[in-house]
Every structure is written in C-alpha cells, then in structure tokens.
Amino acid sequence: VRSAKPQRALNSLDRLALLGAMDATFHLVRAQALQALDRTEEAASAMRAYVAMRPQMLAAQARGHAPLPFESDAEAKALIR
C-alpha cells in the first residue's frame, strides 16, 4: 500500500486470506488498500474487523511482539467514520 500499489497489495492480501492468515494487521492493511481504491464501505468493514481484533493484538504486544499501529482505540475507530 505504501508503494502506491493498492490493488497489488489487495491481491497479495487475498492470497494470504486463502491461507487463513487474517490477523488484526491483515485487516488494517486491507482497510488501507481498499480506502486507497475508494472502496470506502469495504474499507470501513475491514477497519471494523481490525478494531474487533485489537484486544488480541494488545495481548500479543504485552508479550513483547511488534508495536501497535495506533496508540489508542479511538484513533483506530476514527478511521471507520
């Protein structure tokens, strides 16, 4: 998505989904790709999935895994609106 190739990113994400690799970060990146393609309803749905999975991500963070992309739930939820 950051390389300005949202469709390519979305295609890669679709392949990951087939493998069952759909964690919170997956949904966040999918939301970003969909938003870049002006698919706002789908982007909002993907962001809702990210927010719903955020507690699992917080638990992983507490165990010393990768840092969170947002500092607060409010920041993440603001992108849904």
Side-chain angles (χ1 to χ4, degrees):
V1 175
R2 290 181 182 163
S3 65
K5 297 177 184 173
Q7 186 59 58
R8 186 173 177 186
L10 197 55
N11 292 342
S12 295
L13 290 166
D14 288 342
R15 286 192 300 278
L16 285 172
L18 291 174
L19 298 172
M22 298 186 311
D23 61 2
T25 302
F26 167 89
H27 291 292
L28 175 63
V29 174
R30 184 170 172 75
Q32 292 169 338
L34 290 165
Q35 185 66 33
L37 293 169
D38 291 322
R39 293 167 58 179
T40 55
E41 291 297 317
E42 292 169 277
S45 178
M47 185 55 73
R48 283 190 292 275
Y50 165 74
V51 170
M53 294 184 83
R54 187 168 164 88
Q56 295 169 339
M57 195 173 187
L58 288 169
Q61 175 66 18
R63 292 189 305 269
H65 293 238
L68 298 171
F70 293 108
E71 293 300 319
S72 70
D73 284 342
E75 186 180 355
K77 288 177 182 176
L79 295 178
I80 295 172
R81 297 180 195 145

